[in-house]
Amino acid sequence: MVNNDTVLITGASSGIGYELAEVFASKKYDLVLVARSTEKLKEISDQLSKKYLIKVFIISEDLTKENAAETVFQKVKNNNIKVNILVNNAGAGKVGLFHQMDASEDYKMIQLNIASLTHLTKLFISEMMEQGSGKIMNVASTGAYSPGPFIATYYATKAYVLSLSEALYKELKPYNITVTTLCPGATKTNFTKNAGKKDAPGAMEAAKVARCGYEGLMKNKKLIVPGLINKILIRLPKNLVSTLNFKSQKNLAEK
Ligand SMILES: NC(=O)c1ccc[n+]([C@@H]2O[C@H](COP(=O)([O-])OP(=O)(O)OC[C@H]3O[C@@H](n4cnc5c(N)ncnc54)[C@H](OP(=O)(O)O)[C@@H]3O)[C@@H](O)[C@H]2O)c1
């Protein structure tokens, strides 16, 4: 099987992003992988290019930096790579009392989860318009559906991702560009540890989330929510979920 299409995945050095890279590689897509950890990206590039006989281009970039999206886009252009699919997966969160958390933590989350995602989407859309087609998958969260006391900024960033992506799904349909939102619930990755949380009971495997994401993206779905419990969760009343969130995050935040 030959597939000349290229997918760019941010946050591909671990978790859901790494598993997405493996799924796309197994379908013979060439890859552009973005994250900060250069060594991990090199290892993944080596592993996937040999296993699946595909081309992998890596970009080490900190997406909390103001010009990061432009830098990534220019590196792709300078290497004459045409991106057919953009997956904005990189993201991070932090549990804590909002008033005690350093403002730089909020800023970094907003820059990574919102600003870079928005800018990358805009830059690659312009290229997809020229190509006459394209696919974008933005990774939000089930947390996008309700406020998250003690992890407030992170949940708010994911509500933004969902809102932006659903609006663009409608806006870009006539241009043959699909925008899919992937809303995972608790997933076993480094995310929880980095956020200062523990894995929730029933957290899904990242590989399963990635497979759901890939399949939904290929079907041009507007929204993908992996797992039955998560599908139920997003339909519960906002206030109820927010109260449950309050109870579950409070202890972690006060530690
Ligand atoms: N795990 C969950 O329970 C869960 C639930 C809902 C939604 N999500 C979302 O799923 C997405 C993937 O997260 P994950 O669970 O797979 O977590 P993860 O294992 O921590 O992966 C996060 C990825 O993002 C990259 N990243 C983090 N900060 C970055 C920065 N400043 N610049 C560039 N890349 C950066 C990391 O690479 P480097 O460290 O090498 O930069 C890593 O590759 C995120 O958007 C997250 O919000 C996760």
Side-chain angles (χ1 to χ4, degrees), residues 13-226:
S13 64
S14 69
I16 298 167
Y18 165 74
E19 297 294 345
L20 279 165
E22 169 113 41
V23 177
F24 278 104
S26 73
K27 308 289 178 193
K28 298 285 182 193
Y29 284 85
D30 290 332
L31 304 174
V32 179
L33 306 180
V34 183
R36 290 167 302 182
S37 320
T38 313
E39 286 313 310
K40 275 201 221 164
L41 287 178
K42 278 185 187 159
E43 273 172 38
I44 293 167
S45 162
D46 210 38
Q47 175 208 338
L48 296 181
S49 56
K50 282 187 185 139
K51 186 169 172 190
Y52 296 107
L53 305 176
I54 52 153
K55 284 187 240 157
V56 184
F57 183 73
I58 61 168
I59 301 178
S60 313
E61 189 64 31
D62 182 348
L63 294 171
T64 63
K65 288 197 306 199
E66 228 166 278
N67 301 325
E70 187 65 48
T71 307
V72 168
F73 186 68
Q74 279 312 325
K75 281 188 183 162
V76 168
K77 290 225 118 183
N78 294 345
N79 284 277
N80 293 319
I81 299 169
K82 284 231 172 305
V83 169
N84 308 91
I85 303 178
L86 168 67
V87 180
N88 281 307
N89 160 78
K94 200 97 202 150
V95 171
L97 287 161
F98 180 79
H99 70 279
Q100 284 179 357
M101 206 186 290
D102 197 281
S104 65
E105 296 283 2
D106 299 301
Y107 176 79
K108 277 195 251 168
M109 273 185 272
I110 292 166
Q111 199 61 35
L112 174 65
N113 301 356
I114 293 183
S116 284
L117 175 145
T118 306
H119 199 179
L120 282 170
T121 302
K122 196 179 283 283
L123 291 167
F124 282 100
I125 283 172
S126 62
E127 215 184 52
M128 288 172 184
M129 289 269 186
E130 281 170 28
Q131 291 166 28
S133 66
K135 287 184 191 297
I136 297 169
M137 182 159 73
N138 288 335
V139 180
S141 165
T142 49
Y145 286 85
S146 58
F150 304 104
I151 185 164
T153 304
Y154 172 71
Y155 271 44
T157 64
K158 292 301 181 176
Y160 171 94
V161 174
L162 177 63
S163 175
L164 177 82
S165 309
E166 290 198 327
L168 293 182
Y169 175 85
K170 278 210 165 60
E171 209 177 295
L172 294 171
K173 218 173 174 186
Y175 301 97
N176 203 21
I177 298 171
T178 58
V179 180
T180 296
T181 316
L182 174 63
C183 284
T187 309
K188 291 178 204 160
T189 67
N190 295 333
F191 173 84
T192 28
K193 185 167 50 78
N194 292 339
K197 304 201 313 174
K198 285 189 199 132
D199 270 338
M204 286 180 74
E205 296 295 336
K208 193 164 180 196
V209 172
R211 274 198 308 278
C212 285
Y214 174 82
E215 283 160 16
L217 180 70
M218 290 304 135
K219 288 179 189 154
N220 298 332
K221 284 199 171 176
K222 181 169 83 166
L223 176 69
I224 307 159
V225 182

